[in-house]
Amino acid sequence: MRVELTAEIKRVAREHLASDGAAALSLRAVARELDMASSAVYRYFSSRDELLTALIVDAYNSLGEAVEAAEASTRRKDMRKRWGSICHAIRDWARANPHEYALIYGSPVPGYAAPPDTIAAAIRVPLAMTTILGEIDAAETSPPARPVPSRLRADLDALIATLGSTISQDLMIRGLMAWTYVFGAISFELFGHRHNVVHDHETFFSVEIDRIATFVGVQ
Amino acid sequence: MRVELTAEIKRVAREHLASDGAAALSLRAVARELDMASSAVYRYFSSRDELLTALIVDAYNSLGEAVEAAEASTRRKDMRKRWGSICHAIRDWARANPHEYALIYGSPVPGYAAPPDTIAAAIRVPLAMTTILGEIDAAETSPPARPVPSRLRADLDALIATLGSTISQDLMIRGLMAWTYVFGAISFELFGHRHNVVHDHETFFSVEIDRIATFVGVQ
DNA sequence: TGTACATCAGTGAACGCGCGTTCACTGATGTAC
DNA sequence: TGTACATCAGTGAACGCGCGTTCACTGATGTAC
């Protein structure tokens, strides 16, 4: 029942997140909604930051699961479809959970520092993307590599190793850029920078990720 | 002196923004620092939101000025340099004013809705970028156009008109994507998503915008 | 089967804090005659 | 030149609110003998 109430607290906290944003998330409000004393919450989370961290880890995992599920249910051979399914899964999740998206990809919550526990959860999307890059690299369908500054080589090698991949440094750069692009586009849409500029966000997103797929070298 | 004190309030508010973030910006704290009663601030801004709006407009204008100045002092004929100067100016400004950047390009402040006054200021960076696109389009150095879904055509035409340009719809898409990319990359850097992934952010950014320049068709 | 005890989830009051906004006011300055 | 008045920037107290966290406590439950 301890597990159950912990989940219940997180559920209500997520609701508050969704209506007021992370900065306004308050232990007292959550406790009030659960009809318990605010002090009782401290039996489950020793501080507001600990609750916030739990929500962040949950958000990364929820996004990661959505992406992995979408990618897994797409035909293996169709690289472009697999790439698209990942990108659309990210966007769909973000639109369904805008405040959780803002929590992990928006401006950092002031005074809050994410502990390293979040890394394993945060890496799931990049991992899914890298898997596809590995396959296109093996198929040697990539566009010609462009020079990589020597000052970046060590970081790129470390990153490739962390992701358990064997892709080239050049492709790793393109992968990082694709990752950057997808979240940049979703942030622009969700944070209002395309308001009154683009109306059919769905179609525009499809065009974007299609062009980025070509840019990366996904056939 | 009214103008002076208004500027003084904004200056102190900006400092508070820089240390605590937008959500924590408080009229009382600003008044305290200026050694005046909190109620006195209401002679200058009729609410906290009005102060926030002033800061947002100032931030957009400050960024816009920085970008325009950088672009203007680059050799006219060197398109790639001009493109680079715009992108680097954005990043330099963002790194120098991280909380102002987060204010305008981070997650929206909960409960705050930006009034339309901000549009003229917000459009300065896109305008600078579009000018360059117009010149490469006129020079016909663009890569071959790719099909544009008909559902996007009206929006693209409206946008091209708003920006006072005559570029093709295809190039407008690439321009929107470049704009998206640059802010996506800077947000990732500033919001910590490249922490421990890339260390030499400057070099990585140069590589990114160089590849995006090619993607857009800047020679 | 019955008693003594330990555990621990949850309580409720309190501490000390900060916030946005309102309102009747003071008192210096400038203006009109 | 001097008086009466209007203006209005700034005051300070108050309202009503919410917050995170602590702490001594209650009282139900489960366990050991």
Side-chain angles (χ1 to χ4, degrees):
Chain A
M1 52 234 73
R2 190 179 167 73
V3 172
E4 238 167 62
L5 194 39
T6 305
E8 195 65 0
I9 292 172
K10 288 201 287 189
R11 187 186 58 74
V12 172
R14 255 192 300 274
E15 282 175 22
H16 281 242
L17 198 66
S19 57
D20 305 307
L25 178 67
S26 120
L27 280 190
R28 289 186 99 107
V30 170
R32 217 162 24 237
E33 184 147 335
L34 287 168
D35 272 323
M36 62 198 304
S38 59
S39 47
V41 177
Y42 283 81
R43 295 264 167 217
Y44 300 88
F45 297 94
S46 72
S47 72
R48 180 180 174 276
D49 275 10
E50 202 179 292
L51 174 57
L52 215 55
T53 300
L55 293 181
I56 288 173
V57 171
D58 281 6
Y60 275 124
N61 279 322
S62 162
L63 170 61
E65 264 160 46
V67 166
E68 287 161 14
E71 201 272 338
S73 65
T74 308
R75 208 162 66 82
R76 298 293 81 196
K77 291 273 168 74
D78 192 337
M79 289 308 189
R80 224 174 170 92
K81 269 254 172 65
R82 282 169 69 188
W83 165 252
S85 72
I86 288 178
C87 296
H88 275 106
I90 299 171
R91 177 168 175 272
D92 291 345
W93 182 89
R95 284 165 55 96
N97 308 278
H99 282 89
E100 280 173 278
Y101 178 85
L103 179 64
I104 54 182
Y105 288 104
S107 13
V109 180
Y112 170 83
D117 319 10
T118 55
I119 293 180
I123 216 175
R124 291 173 71 168
V125 169
L127 270 176
M129 288 183 168
T130 310
T131 303
I132 293 188
L133 296 190
E135 298 189 30
I136 67 170
D137 207 31
E140 282 177 22
T141 54
S142 269
R146 295 179 52 186
V148 176
S150 56
R151 313 179 82 173
L152 297 179
R153 295 185 173 280
D155 276 346
L156 291 169
D157 283 340
L159 178 58
I160 292 165
T162 301
L163 294 169
S165 186
T166 56
I167 59 175
S168 69
Q169 292 177 341
D170 178 71
L171 185 52
M172 189 72 253
I173 287 182
R174 279 179 273 142
L176 276 168
M177 289 181 69
W179 177 56
T180 300
Y181 190 86
V182 171
F183 286 96
I186 294 172
S187 293
F188 257 20
E189 177 184 342
L190 259 63
F191 297 167
H193 291 282
R194 290 177 175 178
H195 187 65
N196 281 343
V197 173
V198 171
H199 291 94
D200 188 342
H201 292 286
E202 176 82 28
T203 301
F204 191 73
F205 187 72
S206 295
V207 169
E208 291 178 285
I209 60 161
D210 193 56
R211 292 190 177 212
I212 289 293
T214 304
F215 171 81
V216 173
V218 177
Q219 297 300 311
Chain B
M1 53 232 70
R2 191 180 167 75
V3 173
E4 237 167 62
L5 193 40
T6 305
E8 193 66 0
I9 290 172
K10 289 200 286 188
R11 188 186 57 75
V12 172
R14 255 193 300 274
E15 283 176 20
H16 281 242
L17 198 67
S19 57
D20 305 307
L25 178 68
S26 121
L27 281 190
R28 290 187 101 107
V30 170
R32 219 163 21 238
E33 183 147 335
L34 288 168
D35 272 323
M36 63 199 302
S38 58
S39 48
V41 177
Y42 284 80
R43 295 266 167 215
Y44 300 89
F45 298 93
S46 71
S47 71
R48 180 181 173 276
D49 275 10
E50 202 179 293
L51 175 56
L52 216 54
T53 299
L55 293 182
I56 288 173
V57 172
D58 280 7
Y60 274 124
N61 279 322
S62 163
L63 170 61
E65 265 160 45
V67 165
E68 287 160 14
E71 201 271 339
S73 66
T74 308
R75 210 163 65 83
R76 296 292 83 194
K77 291 272 170 76
D78 191 338
M79 289 308 191
R80 222 171 171 95
K81 268 254 171 66
R82 281 168 70 187
W83 165 252
S85 71
I86 288 178
C87 296
H88 275 107
I90 298 171
R91 177 168 175 271
D92 290 345
W93 182 89
R95 284 165 55 93
N97 308 279
H99 283 88
E100 281 174 278
Y101 178 84
L103 180 65
I104 54 182
Y105 288 104
S107 12
V109 180
Y112 171 83
D117 319 9
T118 55
I119 293 179
I123 216 176
R124 292 173 71 168
V125 168
L127 270 176
M129 288 183 168
T130 310
T131 304
I132 292 188
L133 296 189
E135 298 190 29
I136 68 170
D137 206 30
E140 284 178 23
T141 55
S142 269
R146 296 179 52 186
V148 176
S150 56
R151 315 179 80 172
L152 298 178
R153 294 184 175 281
D155 276 346
L156 290 169
D157 282 342
L159 178 59
I160 292 165
T162 302
L163 293 168
S165 186
T166 56
I167 59 175
S168 69
Q169 293 177 341
D170 177 72
L171 185 51
M172 189 72 252
I173 288 183
R174 278 179 275 141
L176 276 169
M177 289 182 69
W179 178 55
T180 301
Y181 189 87
V182 171
F183 285 96
I186 294 172
S187 293
F188 257 22
E189 176 184 342
L190 259 63
F191 297 167
H193 291 283
R194 291 177 174 178
H195 187 65
N196 281 343
V197 173
V198 171
H199 290 94
D200 189 342
H201 293 285
E202 176 82 29
T203 301
F204 191 73
F205 187 72
S206 294
V207 169
E208 291 178 282
I209 60 161
D210 193 56
R211 292 190 177 211
I212 289 293
T214 303
F215 171 81
V216 172
V218 177
Q219 299 298 312

